[in-house]
Amino acid sequence: MIDCVVVGAGVFGSWTALRLRQAGRTVALVEAIGPGNPKSSSGGASRVIRMGYGADEIYTRWAMRSLAAWKELSGFFQNTGVLWTARRGHPYGEATLRVFRKLGVAHEVLSVDDVRRRYPALHFEEEITGILEPESGALLANQAVAAVAREAARIGVEVVEGAVAPFPEEGRLERIIIERGRALEAETFIFPCGPWLPKLFPQAVGRRIRVTRQPIFYFDAPGIAMPVWIDFTDPRGAYTIPPLDGKCFKLALDRHGPPFDPDSGSRFVTAEETADARAFLVERFPALRNAPIVETEVCQYESTSSGDFLIDRHPSMSNVWLVGGGSGHGFKHGPAVGEYVTGLIGGAESDPRFSWASRLEAATRSVY
Ligand SMILES: Cc1cc2nc3c(=O)[nH]c(=O)nc-3n(C[C@H](O)[C@H](O)[C@H](O)COP(=O)(O)OP(=O)(O)OC[C@H]3O[C@@H](n4cnc5c(N)ncnc54)[C@H](O)[C@@H]3O)c2cc1C
């Protein structure tokens, strides 16, 4: 019997399998479709890696540790810099700066005039402040996940293709059954199944993780020179990623969309979503009024009530661990999540912040 079976080779599962193997465990990594597949939450072309998390220092620490790990996987981190904009005196921005000073995160504070001078394409009527993280940027997401899974396989993780069949949520789990009939036995089972967690664990997870539809747009915008940009001045919570690896200028709105089924939900954007995205683009980048949309993606967030991750033992299955609730910001933290889960399996103390008990059914998002 092996030590650990990890079900799901998204960013959380791939890094968890890699870190467990590096810690000396025997590990199998089971994946239904493929590491970083387009239906998974890790499946997009790019994800932002930023250090700023307001007063939520733990995520800044995790992002710092994770950035170092991502850089070791050469080629998947793109050091574009990350620019935040917020109304002057915004508590999230102020708290971010306090944490940056405490932890020594490289940053620059920009006045509205600095922002206008450096990024002339960006238009603001409001009095804003900018925070620039020059050492942050973006990750080539789906390619990076595939590389982590390959590295896990290289050092001895058995990668198994196939979907794990549902099982009763009670007692000790002895084995899982993979489609086409193969069974896998292990001491410990870890389920980083992203948006599929509520389906596989309807009792323990159910409505504790809400899956929402999130459209993404790529505009043809040659000549717009920007770092990654995150806007905190507007409840739509938009962010943009400059052209990377053959993709165009990416725009997404971070507000939660309607409920979404990761298996059957349509991956085509709607006319209303397109109109919203273009309206936002034109407000902030007037020069892009007529920029053509070159490509779109529809992904999904799997969000907990607060936006904190769910990383805990199943409440009624002693050798089963639930790992998920990336809540629209989990990708960058893949390495730190893998490290944390490896510690828990080895008996390390858990942080109540990620506990099953604190994942409520009513949404009160506080982590972004
Ligand atoms: C549009 C969008 C933008 C985002 N932007 C950012 C960002 O800029 N920065 C950031 O840090 N984060 C971002 N996120 C969040 C981040 O991408 C997710 O939190 C993260 O990818 C979640 O990874 P995961 O491993 O938990 O889930 P997933 O990537 O979904 O992986 C789960 C895997 O489990 C497999 N699986 C499921 N059920 C089974 C089964 N029964 N048997 C076998 N395998 C199974 C699936 O096939 C899948 O591969 C964004 C998310 C979205 C959707």
Side-chain angles (χ1 to χ4, degrees):
M1 192 192 309
I2 58 171
D3 297 329
C4 303
V5 168
V6 179
V7 178
V11 73
F12 285 175
S14 297
W15 276 104
T16 297
L18 179 64
R19 291 295 191 237
L20 282 166
R21 183 72 202 113
Q22 287 169 334
R25 307 275 176 177
T26 48
V27 185
L29 175 61
V30 187
E31 168 52 50
I33 309 170
N37 71 76
K39 283 163 74 174
S40 72
S41 296
S42 306
S46 57
R47 294 287 184 261
V48 176
I49 180 161
R50 39 130 174 145
M51 307 295 119
Y53 265 93
D56 291 311
E57 188 178 318
I58 185 168
Y59 289 113
T60 302
R61 289 182 184 276
W62 277 26
M64 291 168 77
R65 279 220 297 283
S66 294
L67 178 58
W70 284 117
K71 283 182 177 170
E72 283 171 22
L73 263 194
S74 60
F76 301 106
F77 168 63
Q78 308 282 306
N79 183 200
T80 61
V82 172
L83 171 70
W84 295 74
T85 49
R87 282 172 204 275
R88 206 189 288 161
H90 190 292
Y92 199 89
E94 297 295 310
T96 295
L97 289 173
R98 276 196 298 279
V99 173
F100 280 3
R101 286 183 209 110
K102 179 176 170 189
L103 300 184
V105 176
H107 67 279
E108 233 182 293
V109 179
L110 307 180
S111 69
V112 66
D113 289 335
D114 295 331
V115 172
R116 287 191 181 121
R117 198 169 42 250
R118 288 198 201 180
Y119 312 109
L122 194 52
H123 174 77
F124 280 104
E125 301 281 338
E126 307 89 324
E127 274 302 307
I128 53 133
T129 305
I131 303 174
L132 182 68
E133 299 181 19
E135 292 174 9
S136 301
L139 295 158
L140 302 182
N142 49 4
Q143 297 181 46
V145 172
V148 178
R150 273 198 307 275
E151 177 59 10
R154 193 189 66 78
I155 64 165
V157 170
E158 185 192 1
V159 179
V160 181
E161 282 177 27
V164 171
F167 43 80
E169 273 184 85
E170 59 195 15
R172 200 181 156 76
L173 187 62
E174 301 297 339
R175 67 186 62 78
I176 50 167
I177 308 294
I178 302 162
E179 63 187 6
R180 292 189 290 276
R182 182 172 172 195
L184 271 178
E185 297 187 353
E187 283 293 329
T188 303
F189 293 86
I190 301 153
F191 288 89
C193 298
W196 287 272
L197 268 177
K199 288 190 177 199
L200 207 52
F201 296 98
Q203 287 171 36
V205 179
R207 287 186 306 174
R208 285 185 163 80
I209 288 182
R210 288 175 320 286
V211 182
T212 55
R213 177 183 164 86
Q214 305 295 147
I216 291 169
F217 296 83
Y218 292 90
F219 290 90
D220 190 16
I224 300 286
M226 287 285 295
V228 164
W229 169 60
I230 302 172
D231 187 29
F232 246 72
T233 60
D234 186 293
R236 287 169 287 185
Y239 63 93
T240 62
I241 300 183
L244 295 177
D245 197 42
K247 292 281 184 181
C248 290
F249 185 78
K250 172 172 165 175
L251 168 73
L253 303 179
D254 177 59
R255 70 173 172 214
H256 291 172
F260 188 73
D261 185 313
D263 293 308
S264 60
S266 163
R267 303 273 170 180
F268 290 98
V269 297
T270 65
E272 195 185 334
E273 289 165 345
T274 307
D276 278 355
R278 188 172 288 285
F280 183 88
L281 188 79
V282 172
E283 276 172 46
R284 291 303 187 218
F285 296 92
L288 297 183
R289 183 169 306 278
N290 298 316
I293 294 173
V294 179
E295 212 179 323
T296 60
E297 291 167 2
V298 172
C299 193
Q300 64 277 312
Y301 285 173
E302 57 292 315
S303 303
T304 63
S305 52
S306 61
D308 283 310
F309 307 145
L310 165 62
I311 310 177
D312 201 357
R313 204 188 287 273
H314 187 290
S316 55
M317 301 181 82
S318 57
N319 64 336
V320 168
W321 293 81
L322 306 169
V323 177
S327 304
H329 70 102
F331 193 93
K332 67 184 79 57
H333 299 292
V337 169
E339 194 180 302
Y340 179 73
V341 176
T342 301
L344 290 179
I345 305 300
E349 212 170 295
S350 60
D351 187 325
R353 177 154 208 152
F354 305 118
S355 71
W356 177 83
S358 60
R359 301 285 71 85
L360 311 174
E361 293 190 0
T364 49
R365 189 179 185 188
S366 61
V367 180
Y368 292 87

